[in-house]
Amino acid sequence: MSSGSPHIPVIRSLAQLRRWRAAARERGLEVGVVPTMGALHQGHLDLVKASLARHPLTVMTLFVNPMQDLDKYPRTLESDLDLLRTLLPSGSRPLRGLGISENDSFRPPHSETTTEPPVRGLGVSEDEGFRPAASHAGNRADAPGAGVGSEFIPSSQTPLVVFNPAPDVMYPLKGELQDLTRHRGVSVDVRGYGDVMEGASRPQFFRGVATVCTKLFNAVEPDHAYFGQKDIQQALLLRIMLTDLLMAHPSPDHLHILPTTRAEDNLALSSRNAYLDPAERAVAPVLHRALSAARDLYTEGSTGEEMLAAATQVVLDEQTRILDEKVPAELKLDYFEVFDKDTFEPVRGEVKPGTPVVLAGAVWVGRTRLIDNLLLGWDID
């Protein structure tokens, strides 16, 4: 990182994150969170940009969840930080006294070219032995307001931090996480919602998502959270979870779903796209074409069955083209579904225009599984 590059602190411990969060709360600063597993692309950056535009402070969590069977998921922290820096004003300086940095041993030096005083007593440090400076409320570290100075954190400086915990931080019981039938400890299972569609194709996936997001929400205590529409079942399931668990950080109404970011050929951006070779990449937009064909029938007042048949036919036609033209790519349909956005129940029979439903699907292109969806009769965020 060059000396003029914006500084993005990386928080690795739960105690450190909670000190930072307490300081933000004391100052009345809203915090948005963008949960990710890293390997960032423009879709992730759009979510972070939205949070930065709406709130003084944003936490992007970067944690590859072992409960989701993702041992081979790419770890690209340094390049992810480089991408995040493009979202911040050039020349942004770190706030002094934060005690959080890009690596555990770094301490931001006091600048010799500025007379600005450091922001004291934010109560976050790289080591667990740190104790915040005494406040006006008293000399006890647990006194009201302890670790929280009187200075205001400018939103133009260090508005973004990354929470990048180790697995032991997120799963302190250190039990079995890959095979959840052998897992000992607490997990969150949104039954009836997490075992259909994506959940049927990827057993235990949503149990892992619900569990890790509950942990991240408890750790960050965000006022708002941001997810992408591409993973629509995941986002809607998390809203259901927030409602059923009476969670306030964030509240269900403050879980925002933002539109899918797409390439020029309408392929939904995904970290998985990097695994597509050129021939497979040329086939991949078939998923959006299939969903679009079903959407065209929706506007005409067709049945759920007819919409699914139209989407399936587009995939069948592409499979025929691949064989006829000897394209070095394999295409396989996983599923298409039209479902109610609130109950996740499949929609069959006549679907009147304006009925709020989700049209979703998944295909395999080679060894890469792609998902996408279109919202019919309603909008997000």
Side-chain angles (χ1 to χ4, degrees):
M1 181 181 68
S2 66
S3 59
S5 298
H7 178 78
I8 300 177
V10 177
I11 298 177
R12 303 183 190 278
S13 76
L14 183 59
Q16 185 182 39
L17 176 67
R18 285 179 168 161
R19 294 185 191 110
W20 178 91
R21 186 63 182 90
R25 181 178 292 109
E26 182 71 13
R27 290 162 173 78
L29 299 178
E30 274 196 340
V31 173
V33 69
V34 181
T36 82
M37 293 192 297
L40 302 185
H41 53 69
Q42 187 59 47
H44 295 115
L45 298 184
D46 288 345
L47 296 176
V48 175
K49 284 166 61 177
S51 182
L52 288 171
R54 299 179 185 185
H55 316 296
L57 297 171
T58 292
V59 177
M60 193 201 81
T61 67
L62 197 163
F63 179 70
V64 180
N65 184 21
M67 262 196 175
Q68 292 169 237
D69 193 18
L70 294 164
D71 279 344
K72 296 182 180 179
Y73 197 87
R75 270 71 167 176
T76 56
L77 176 61
E78 291 305 320
S79 59
D80 289 343
L81 290 172
D82 287 340
L83 286 174
L84 290 172
R85 289 185 191 106
T86 67
L87 304 181
L88 302 177
S90 60
S92 294
R93 299 184 303 278
L95 291 174
R96 306 305 181 188
L98 276 170
I100 47 182
S101 68
E102 305 243 349
N103 57 73
D104 288 344
S105 61
F106 178 83
R107 292 290 185 277
H110 293 298
S111 171
E112 297 177 358
T113 60
T114 178
T115 58
E116 289 183 4
V119 177
R120 305 291 187 185
L122 284 172
V124 286
S125 150
E126 294 290 344
D127 58 274
E128 295 302 317
F130 176 86
R131 291 295 180 271
S135 71
H136 293 297
N139 294 324
R140 294 179 297 111
D142 60 348
V148 179
S150 59
E151 298 89 344
F152 178 81
I153 303 175
S155 61
S156 61
Q157 292 186 331
T158 327
L160 174 64
V161 300
V162 169
F163 181 45
N164 178 221
D168 286 356
V169 173
M170 296 298 294
Y171 294 97
L173 298 183
K174 305 178 182 63
E176 170 62 44
L177 296 173
Q178 295 289 300
D179 180 2
L180 293 191
T181 63
R182 299 166 52 205
H183 173 66
R184 296 183 64 192
V186 176
S187 63
V188 180
D189 188 5
V190 189
R191 295 187 178 180
Y193 299 89
D195 52 9
V196 296
M197 292 170 291
E198 284 298 292
S201 294
R202 305 171 70 183
Q204 88 174 34
F205 175 74
F206 283 122
R207 186 175 170 190
V209 168
T211 300
V212 77
C213 283
T214 298
K215 289 170 176 280
L216 290 171
F217 292 156
N218 284 338
V220 179
E221 296 186 2
D223 300 292
H224 296 262
Y226 291 84
F227 292 85
Q229 179 192 327
K230 181 180 73 69
D231 300 290
I232 189 65
Q233 187 180 352
Q234 170 181 287
L236 293 175
L237 178 142
L238 290 175
R239 275 186 176 169
I240 292 167
M241 180 191 78
L242 293 174
T243 299
D244 207 21
L245 294 183
L246 312 182
M247 294 181 68
H249 301 288
S251 67
D253 291 342
H254 286 174
L255 190 151
H256 307 285
I257 308 171
L258 301 189
T260 302
T261 303
R262 300 183 180 277
E264 291 185 1
D265 57 5
N266 284 318
L267 177 65
L269 295 192
S270 169
S271 301
R272 294 169 178 265
N273 295 353
Y275 297 120
L276 298 169
D277 65 29
E280 293 169 342
R281 177 62 183 79
V283 169
V286 67
L287 179 54
H288 184 264
R289 293 203 309 272
L291 295 173
S292 297
R295 177 179 58 190
D296 291 343
L297 291 183
Y298 170 85
T299 61
E300 301 171 4
S302 299
T303 65
E305 292 87 344
E306 289 169 336
M307 293 167 63
L308 296 179
T312 301
Q313 188 60 52
V314 172
V315 173
L316 293 175
D317 291 345
E318 182 68 0
Q319 288 174 327
T320 299
R321 185 190 73 82
I322 289 172
L323 291 174
D324 291 346
E325 300 180 10
K326 295 181 172 57
V327 176
E330 182 181 356
L331 172 64
K332 183 172 65 175
L333 175 62
D334 188 340
Y335 74 88
F336 285 116
E337 188 57 273
V338 185
F339 64 94
D340 183 280
K341 71 181 183 66
D342 297 316
T343 66
F344 288 15
E345 290 294 324
V347 174
R348 300 294 183 263
E350 183 181 3
V351 184
K352 296 181 180 179
T355 302
V357 296
V358 180
L359 175 62
V363 298
W364 287 91
V365 180
R367 296 182 178 182
T368 305
R369 187 173 183 274
L370 304 175
I371 63 173
D372 202 353
N373 65 83
L374 297 175
L375 309 184
L376 309 180
W378 65 290
D379 207 351
I380 48 179
D381 202 23

